[in-house]
Amino acid sequence: MEKRKMLTGNYAAAHGARLARVEVVPVYPITPQTHIMEKMAAFVESGELDAEFVPVESEHSAMAVAIAAQATGARTFTASSSQGLVYMHENLFVASGLRLPVVMAMVNRTIGAPTTICPDLSDSLDQRDTGWIQIYTESAQEAHDMIIQAYRVGEDERVLLPVGICFEGMIISHYMEPVEILDQGKVDRFLPPYRPEHVVLDPDRPMSVHQLVLDDSYYTEYKYQQQVAMEEAKGVIQEVDEAFGETFGRRYGGLISTEMMEDAEVALLTLGSMAPTARAVVSQLREEEDMPIGLVKLRAFRPFPDEELKESLSNLKAVAVLERDVSIGAGGIVYLELAHCLGKKHDSPLLTNYIMGLGGRDVTFEEIKDTALNLFEERDAEVMTNPIRWYQVRGLS
Amino acid sequence: MRNLADTLSRSEIFRSGHALCPGCPGGMIFRWITKALGKDSILSMGATCLALPTGIYPSSVEIPSIYIAMAPAPAAVSGISAAIKVLKRKGRIREDRKINVFAISGDGSSGDIGMASLSGAAERDDDGIYFCFDNEAYMNTGIQRSGLTPQFSWTTSTLKGKVEKKKDLPRIMAAHDIPYVATVSVGYPEDFISKIEKARDMGPGFKYFHIHAPCPTGWRFPESKTIEVARLAVETGFWTLYEVDHGSTRITYQPPKLRPVMDYLQLQGRFEGLSDGNVRELQRGIHEKWEHQITLTPE
């Protein structure tokens, strides 16, 4: 039976990992992820989860233990944030290069300096080239459900890639929400056990995992296969979301979710915890002002849903990308990818980018409404002037 | 003395065709380790010259192995043995099957970049045997100094000789209070192999081996002299063969009389530029170390 409980995002994610029957759990503490570590340790100690908990001495080792355990045939789970994610960076490439479907809760937090323990998405977005699937979630429930979906996506033989389930520290990790904890029997039917054939350290079938591919041997082909797997993952994420809906009665839309897009002329595009606020803004403008605006929530950042975004956005006049991250010297990371994906065709919508909420600064209903109203003012412009906008920087007029 | 030919497994797990340099002791060492541990083993390979036999297709070693990155060979031991433990509980690996998890990594990867990983796996006492293949510099990248390069040694990053002393990694590992620490040398195979067998037959826990591995390429001596150099290191007291078995230290080979350190140094081009003062300093260091080691031995 499903159970409804008041849970933080961190505990919801930990319950997701427990229900996925993860077998090796190497974690190193870091705020705001630490409650996941504590909860997993408690599950293992109490016997609620039959797993080995490995209290590693660093995030670098956390990922190495996960890689080695997954390569030995165990389903693994870890969690990290911020400096920790950056510290394990080189091993993230190894997990995906060896095609090991490790799953990690990436609890978003800024990267110093300056240091804060508050959220933005720069830490996980910074891992975008490591070959990990990345899914962004907006609530404790979505984090819980997606940890379970992540294993089915990553372990699918068409994919075999590691998966990060991302949610913002403090905002989602620490606030309590009612969460429906899924039923173990149903999860077991939804998620078959991990029985790898492609990479496994088995003395009866010795293989040397991770060799040199010097000179002009097969490095290109290895990378190409990862790219193909990422492309395949687009369909698999969609399929798994549908199957999840059939089993549990809840769907998220797969790569992106679009809301109130019928006859929309403009749209807000965001991800993570800003999505619910943006949704409230869009529905107020729709219902009270009858304004033609919609919402696109980006769920998968890797693989990047270029086709889906083109399809939902190309007939619009203007789109504002609201994001809690920045690539210094360029702009919002999601905006940059979206601009690349939409290109400069004559029917492409005008794009603006609001860099807001950095370092956990609160992003309010009124502020998002302000960006939406700007869209209506600017929707008929020839070109969008000054598209990359640092929203309300103190000390600037 | 035991006759290795009669007691050691005749099956060859380490095969020819590896990519090691001529005269490299690594081939012999790899062969002994795999003979002593057998086919029911899983290897975590670190950054070391010994990664070449498994790292170039096809592998020369007939056991499963994984390489992750420069530092985390010890963490991979933890991951493999954690997985084996849980898979045994769940019946996916037979409970009574003993799989030897072991790691091989270099002096730089063990004692410099991977020190935290090594210390972490030892402190957790995760199950496995760790071999540090100490050829006393970063040899794969072309002979740069490591924390384990001996004092006064030439490397391509210490052209006038290394100023600092060698990091004493086996003593650091012994301070972790792990079940077993052993120093070994390619010049003393009986001592080496008996220690592996001892570690293999102990209960679960982290066991550490420190292998003194003369490198003709980096130490600048003829490739036919590897064993001679290895033996002189021990006969001069430059390298000591001992073990720390559950806290009790024992010197496992005592040279009848320490030979002058010059006998060891003069064979190697890396010590060519040493002054008489440098040699005296090394000799004094050996005597001090040796007296300290004698007091550690109960007999």
Side-chain angles (χ1 to χ4, degrees):
Chain A
M1 269 295 282
E2 282 80 10
K3 269 194 310 214
R4 269 177 94 76
K5 252 184 140 168
M6 287 299 285
L7 289 181
T8 61
N10 277 343
Y11 277 13
H15 277 283
R18 174 183 60 78
L19 290 167
R21 297 193 189 276
V22 299
E23 291 164 326
V24 176
V25 186
V27 208
Y28 186 80
I30 182 169
T31 306
Q33 162 282 114
T34 312
H35 295 144
I36 298 181
M37 178 198 188
E38 293 173 347
K39 196 70 182 165
M40 295 311 293
F43 284 148
V44 173
E45 263 186 33
S46 68
E48 283 170 271
L49 175 66
D50 187 4
E52 286 296 311
F53 180 80
V54 189
V56 281
E57 78 296 332
S58 75
E59 290 91 352
H60 194 276
S61 286
M63 189 43 55
V65 168
I67 288 166
Q70 191 87 28
T72 311
R75 181 177 282 162
T76 64
F77 174 69
T78 186
S80 194
S81 299
S82 182
Q83 317 292 138
L85 263 175
V86 178
Y87 196 42
M88 64 168 69
H89 180 69
E90 68 160 331
N91 288 339
L92 298 180
F93 286 89
V94 180
S96 68
L98 298 180
R99 310 296 298 274
L100 296 168
V102 175
V103 170
M104 167 159 47
M106 299 181 174
V107 186
N108 293 109
R109 171 186 145 185
T110 51
I111 302 168
T115 294
T116 106
I117 52 167
C118 294
D120 70 40
L121 307 181
S122 300
D123 56 352
S124 58
L125 289 174
D126 185 47
Q127 313 309 319
R128 66 184 175 272
D129 303 331
T130 57
W132 279 59
I133 292 171
Q134 288 192 7
I135 311 275
Y136 288 81
T137 63
E138 64 166 76
S139 67
Q141 184 71 61
E142 193 178 4
H144 175 77
D145 294 352
M146 287 313 295
I147 294 283
I148 292 160
Q149 288 196 31
Y151 284 101
R152 184 151 153 185
V153 170
E155 292 170 9
D156 189 293
E157 60 174 17
R158 292 165 290 177
V159 178
L160 296 170
L161 288 173
V163 185
I165 298 301
C166 312
F167 53 92
E168 280 135 288
M170 304 305 166
I171 301 172
I172 296 170
S173 70
H174 281 57
Y175 281 95
M176 283 190 152
E177 297 171 33
V179 173
E180 183 186 294
I181 301 176
L182 299 181
D183 173 67
Q184 183 70 69
K186 280 192 194 169
V187 173
D188 290 343
R189 284 191 293 281
F190 174 78
L191 179 65
Y194 182 57
R195 296 286 187 274
E197 288 292 325
H198 67 306
V199 172
V200 59
L201 298 171
D202 175 3
D204 294 334
R205 200 156 65 94
M207 50 173 100
S208 177
V209 178
H210 192 174
Q211 293 196 310
L212 284 162
V213 283
L214 295 170
D215 308 318
D216 188 27
S217 58
Y218 290 96
Y219 184 81
T220 303
E221 287 68 25
Y222 273 101
K223 290 294 130 182
Y224 180 71
Q225 287 186 332
Q226 280 176 262
Q227 175 66 25
V228 169
M230 267 292 178
E231 292 295 333
E232 289 281 342
K234 290 179 180 174
V236 174
I237 290 168
Q238 215 72 39
E239 275 174 34
V240 169
D241 186 55
E242 279 160 33
F244 189 87
E246 277 161 30
T247 312
F248 300 105
R250 199 166 35 242
R251 285 198 55 190
Y252 291 97
L255 302 166
I256 63 174
S257 83
T258 56
E259 297 165 50
M260 297 169 271
M261 288 293 282
E262 212 163 295
D263 306 323
E265 288 180 25
V266 302
L268 298 178
L269 186 146
T270 192
L271 68 170
S273 76
M274 275 198 249
T277 319
R279 182 178 298 122
V281 168
V282 169
S283 64
Q284 193 206 49
L285 292 176
R286 279 266 179 187
E287 284 160 26
E288 292 173 22
E289 321 270 343
D290 202 22
M291 294 172 96
I293 183 168
L295 172 70
V296 176
K297 178 178 132 184
L298 187 71
R299 299 189 71 247
F301 181 73
R302 283 289 179 273
F304 195 73
D306 44 0
E307 289 305 319
E308 290 72 12
L309 288 168
K310 270 184 213 163
E311 198 188 309
S312 351
L313 302 177
S314 46
N315 294 323
L316 301 181
K317 289 184 171 176
V319 176
V321 181
L322 316 180
E323 56 187 313
R324 201 188 279 282
D325 62 82
V326 63
S327 171
I328 303 288
I333 294 167
V334 175
Y335 162 80
L336 294 169
E337 297 243 355
L338 182 69
H340 168 74
C341 142
L342 294 177
K344 282 198 163 69
K345 290 205 305 279
H346 64 93
D347 61 341
S348 300
L350 296 168
L351 291 184
T352 48
N353 181 204
Y354 290 91
I355 294 161
M356 58 207 307
L358 295 185
R361 184 171 290 177
D362 196 23
V363 178
T364 65
F365 180 91
E366 288 307 323
E367 288 166 351
I368 292 185
K369 191 170 170 183
D370 182 36
T371 68
L373 295 177
N374 288 347
L375 268 182
F376 282 101
E377 258 173 49
E378 297 175 288
R379 68 184 147 169
D380 294 317
E382 272 297 304
V383 286
M384 196 62 91
T385 48
N386 183 24
I388 298 169
R389 300 166 186 179
W390 286 68
Y391 192 77
Q392 291 191 357
V393 176
R394 288 177 193 151
L396 299 181
S397 51
Chain B
M1 184 168 290
R2 89 181 255 206
N3 185 346
L4 283 175
D6 293 340
T7 54
L8 203 57
S9 158
R10 284 180 184 272
S11 89
E12 298 293 348
I13 297 171
F14 181 80
R15 289 179 300 233
S16 60
H18 55 75
L20 299 168
C21 296
C24 175
M28 283 178 277
I29 287 167
F30 220 142
R31 188 163 166 256
W32 300 341
I33 293 173
T34 50
K35 273 179 181 285
L37 295 182
K39 276 194 176 177
D40 252 3
S41 299
I42 299 177
L43 166 58
S44 158
M45 185 51 88
T48 157
C49 293
L50 289 198
L52 295 173
T54 57
I56 293 178
Y57 184 83
S59 174
S60 303
V61 190
E62 214 180 313
I63 50 170
S65 66
I66 185 168
Y67 172 79
I68 295 180
M70 186 95 192
V77 167
S78 308
I80 295 163
S81 35
I84 290 173
K85 233 163 139 181
V86 67
L87 296 183
K88 278 185 172 176
R89 275 205 306 273
K90 291 188 167 190
R92 303 212 312 261
I93 297 175
R94 243 188 25 244
E95 185 62 47
D96 59 352
R97 181 171 185 178
K98 180 162 165 41
I99 298 176
N100 295 306
V101 181
F102 72 106
I104 304 179
S105 206
D107 48 287
S109 55
S110 305
D112 292 345
I113 193 172
M115 189 76 224
S117 181
L118 179 57
S119 176
E123 181 271 332
R124 294 187 300 273
D125 202 17
D126 289 332
D127 186 32
I129 307 177
Y130 188 94
F131 296 93
C132 172
F133 182 75
D134 182 7
N135 50 22
E136 301 192 324
Y138 290 91
M139 293 308 183
N140 257 331
T141 45
I143 325 170
Q144 293 79 35
R145 99 191 263 290
S146 78
L148 277 76
T149 299
Q151 196 179 21
F152 306 130
S153 171
W154 165 90
T155 67
T156 58
S157 60
T158 53
L159 299 177
K160 291 181 179 172
K162 188 191 179 197
V163 175
E164 303 81 10
K165 289 183 180 170
K166 182 182 175 79
K167 188 186 287 189
D168 193 345
L169 197 48
R171 278 212 295 158
I172 295 171
M173 295 315 294
H176 286 73
D177 213 2
I178 49 180
Y180 193 63
V181 173
T183 60
V184 291
S185 160
V186 70
Y188 298 80
E190 297 86 355
D191 178 77
F192 194 137
I193 291 163
S194 314
K195 285 171 175 169
I196 303 177
E197 289 167 344
K198 188 171 192 178
R200 177 195 68 195
D201 297 337
M202 279 179 182
F206 196 82
K207 299 102 186 173
Y208 178 81
F209 279 69
H210 200 100
I211 308 167
H212 188 248
C215 168
T217 311
W219 296 10
R220 300 295 194 235
F221 64 80
E223 61 211 35
S224 59
K225 297 219 179 280
T226 306
I227 298 302
E228 195 179 330
V229 171
R231 294 191 78 98
L232 278 168
V234 174
E235 299 298 331
T236 57
F238 199 87
W239 185 248
T240 315
L241 302 180
Y242 66 93
E243 64 178 10
V244 186
D245 183 351
H246 293 87
S248 100
T249 304
R250 187 174 70 90
I251 292 182
T252 56
Y253 171 76
Q254 186 125 12
K257 180 177 182 303
L258 289 187
R259 288 175 59 165
V261 71
M262 199 56 194
D263 290 1
Y264 172 64
L265 302 175
Q266 69 188 1
L267 284 174
Q268 306 168 54
R270 64 173 175 159
F271 291 120
E272 217 161 52
L274 261 62
S275 68
D276 293 347
N278 293 155
V279 176
R280 277 198 301 276
E281 199 175 331
L282 286 177
Q283 190 66 69
R284 196 170 52 242
I286 286 170
H287 284 305
E288 279 166 14
K289 185 181 80 173
W290 194 252
E291 272 163 31
H292 173 71
Q293 275 160 348
I294 297 289
T295 59
L296 285 175
T297 307
E299 293 92 349

